[in-house]
Amino acid sequence: MIKVYLKKKISRRVENGHPWIFGNEVDKIEGDVKGGDTVIVFAHDKKFIGQGFINPQSQIIVRLLTREKSDSIDEFFFQKRIQEAWNYRKKLGYVENCRLVFGEADQMPSLVIDKFNDYFVLQTLALGMDVWKPAIVKALEEIFNPKGIYERNDVPVRELEGLMQKKGFLSKPFDTNIVINENGLRFNVDIENGQKTGYFLDQHDNRRAIRNIVKDADVLGAFSYTGSFEIHAAHYGAKSVLGLDISENAVNSATKNAALNGLENIVQFKAVNAFDILKKWSKEGRQYDVVMLDPPAFTKSRETIQKAITGYKEINLRGMKLINKGGFLVTSSCTNLVPPKLFLEIIQMAAKDAKRKLRQVSFQTQAPDHPIIWDMENTNYLKFLIVQVE
Ligand code: SAH
């Protein structure tokens, strides 16, 4: 077995539970290393730390899978881990659709599996996890007897690991346009061509949180994608709902989803740039009772964090200007690079510039099928805020 020894003078992050080891934290490696191999990690004083997988090509050279000396990393190990992840979701009532595996938060770094009823979509985002793909597929088959398994590994981060981007079937081919149920509504999910894994499950509980504020309201939703928030608003009794997305494909799929739920007379979608149109409409004096914003991350790296701050501030400022006195802003941010405290500060700056006063109604995060591990920043990523705007 390959042995990795850490340097003496490094932060205690890894010893305290973080699963990532950076190349510059390694003192020496004993044995011939091939990318993807299982390794045992020791502290400088030869104290056992854990076992994980190595990729000398990646900045994160080792990702730990276990802190147990007695575990052997094999097919059975992954079956056990996936079963544990499933038990947790079942316990919390996420049975039909859920994020079945949320990487580090389920002690399976770089593995994402979304369960859409009988269909499973997975991403293996590190080399050491990618080599276990057959074992993972086998475990899914044994535990769930699924109707289909698909890989959405068409993600640029794989290239940092020396992996190709790809997507395709990991089971017998099946029709990748499926319909899921959420909160009593139905949504088309395009497993092959949808964004990320096809549908954003992380907001499934937050979509219910708008229930009371949208009743009898004129609602504007920007960054609507599948139209999920907007269709929920119509379902919960909104007078009118308009959803905006820059992508024609997204607007088409949202329009289909509105019809699927018989709500096409209440909710409409339009393909436009939300930044431009919100500015135009606030100049024209348009007003809504509720404005909902769910923009993309705006940045992928810490270096360009200012870009994200500017983007969030700008869109929230424009959104607030469109809200009636006493109306509500429902606003999200999906990047862990903007932590909750900073997000609230950005919203406060926007309110100041818009000359509006806010009352916090609720502040939530992603649903419990995406559990958060303290000290692993990337697991704490979604902010979902409802404020009343005076
Ligand atoms: N609200 C959705 C998720 C939104 S994802 C849900 O609940 O599932 C973000 C969306 O913003 C994407 O669909 C993307 O096409 C859209 N988008 C990105 N930039 C935009 C812009 N400038 N104006 C409008 N939509 C934009």
Side-chain angles (χ1 to χ4, degrees):
M1 185 67 98
I2 299 154
K3 295 178 176 164
V4 175
Y5 294 90
L6 300 187
K7 286 180 184 163
K8 184 170 182 190
K9 287 202 170 114
I10 52 169
S11 83
R12 310 203 33 100
R13 202 186 73 259
V14 177
E15 279 179 270
N16 289 344
H18 202 288
W20 294 354
I21 296 162
F22 292 96
N24 61 10
E25 295 177 310
V26 172
D27 182 29
K28 61 171 187 215
I29 300 176
E30 281 176 13
D32 282 337
V33 172
K34 200 163 86 294
D37 282 346
T38 301
V39 298
I40 309 184
V41 178
F42 299 92
H44 69 94
D45 58 4
K46 301 197 164 50
K47 205 175 85 217
F48 172 84
I49 291 183
Q51 305 182 58
F53 51 75
I54 191 164
N55 183 1
Q57 215 182 309
S58 170
Q59 265 190 37
I60 305 173
I61 187 167
V62 176
R63 289 172 161 90
L64 293 174
L65 287 160
T66 176
R67 302 275 170 164
E68 296 294 326
K69 224 185 250 176
S70 57
D71 276 341
S72 57
I73 310 302
D74 52 18
E75 252 181 50
F76 179 70
F77 176 86
F78 283 95
Q79 164 130 17
K80 200 175 89 207
R81 277 278 147 88
I82 292 172
Q83 183 66 55
E84 282 163 5
W86 178 224
N87 292 346
Y88 167 80
R89 273 74 187 171
K90 282 196 289 191
K91 177 103 190 152
L92 290 160
Y94 295 87
V95 185
E96 195 169 325
N97 312 314
C98 61
R99 175 143 296 185
L100 173 66
V101 173
F102 182 43
E104 281 74 10
D106 287 295
Q107 294 186 75
M108 286 176 272
S110 302
L111 177 63
V112 169
I113 306 180
D114 277 350
K115 174 181 185 299
F116 299 114
N117 207 348
D118 294 320
Y119 299 90
F120 294 76
V121 182
L122 69 84
Q123 299 179 311
T124 44
L125 304 175
L127 173 62
M129 193 50 85
D130 201 66
V131 301
W132 289 103
K133 211 161 60 188
I136 294 160
V137 168
K138 193 168 167 207
L140 291 176
E141 278 164 354
E142 280 174 17
I143 301 169
F144 298 97
N145 190 21
K147 287 198 180 136
I149 308 174
Y150 198 88
E151 79 176 295
R152 282 298 302 269
N153 273 327
D154 48 332
V155 232
V157 286
R158 283 191 27 122
E159 287 170 11
L160 302 176
E161 290 276 320
L163 291 164
M164 262 175 17
Q165 292 194 45
K166 61 193 238 188
K167 61 178 175 180
F169 294 103
L170 296 174
S171 63
K172 281 202 309 288
F174 58 95
D175 182 354
T176 49
N177 287 298
I178 60 164
V179 174
I180 61 164
N181 301 301
E182 182 181 277
N183 303 322
L185 291 162
R186 303 175 74 211
F187 294 97
N188 290 288
V189 175
D190 180 348
I191 288 176
E192 185 183 356
N193 297 311
Q195 296 178 31
K196 305 269 177 74
T197 60
Y199 187 80
F200 293 108
L201 291 170
D202 50 5
Q203 296 268 33
H204 47 187
D205 290 358
N206 296 335
R207 294 185 183 112
R208 280 203 305 271
I210 64 170
R211 182 175 205 124
N212 295 314
I213 59 169
V214 296
K215 203 155 186 318
D216 301 321
D218 289 315
V219 178
L220 177 66
F223 312 95
S224 50
Y225 182 38
T226 51
S228 195
F229 270 104
E230 292 70 21
I231 290 162
H232 276 76
H235 175 66
Y236 292 141
K239 209 187 310 157
S240 75
V241 187
L242 178 58
L244 312 172
D245 200 288
I246 202 162
S247 141
E248 289 278 356
N249 279 341
V251 165
N252 291 340
S253 88
T255 305
K256 248 174 63 187
N257 282 331
L260 186 64
N261 292 286
L263 293 165
E264 66 273 27
N265 292 332
I266 300 168
V267 49
Q268 244 112 51
F269 294 93
K270 220 180 155 92
V272 284
N273 185 327
F275 281 88
D276 299 343
I277 202 93
L278 263 58
K279 189 173 186 179
K280 180 163 173 279
W281 286 348
S282 77
K283 278 205 183 114
E284 292 170 10
R286 275 211 204 194
Q287 294 277 277
Y288 290 90
D289 304 309
V290 177
V291 170
M292 307 189 292
L293 307 171
D294 188 13
F298 294 133
T299 179
K300 294 237 183 306
S301 78
R302 227 165 269 286
E303 290 72 54
T304 54
I305 184 83
Q306 192 53 45
K307 230 176 72 189
I309 296 175
T310 309
Y312 285 123
K313 183 180 162 196
E314 189 61 32
I315 197 68
N316 280 281
L317 168 68
R318 292 179 189 194
M320 280 175 205
K321 289 188 170 172
L322 287 169
I323 300 174
N324 284 326
K325 199 168 158 46
F328 295 89
L329 173 71
V330 178
T331 183
S332 300
S333 149
C334 61
T335 168
N336 72 286
L337 297 172
V338 174
K341 185 163 168 281
L342 176 57
F343 182 64
L344 295 180
E345 283 164 11
I346 295 169
I347 303 303
Q348 199 169 20
M349 286 193 297
K352 209 168 158 212
D353 285 8
K355 301 196 173 55
R356 305 295 295 265
K357 287 222 153 28
L358 305 181
R359 282 214 294 185
Q360 179 177 317
V361 179
S362 66
F363 189 36
Q364 300 174 193
T365 183
Q366 67 255 15
D369 54 337
H370 301 60
I372 294 171
I373 307 293
W374 295 338
D375 301 331
M376 286 182 211
E377 302 85 6
N378 64 326
T379 64
N380 185 1
Y381 71 101
L382 189 70
K383 282 79 57 193
F384 174 82
L385 174 71
I386 303 181
V387 285
Q388 191 173 29
V389 184
E390 295 298 335

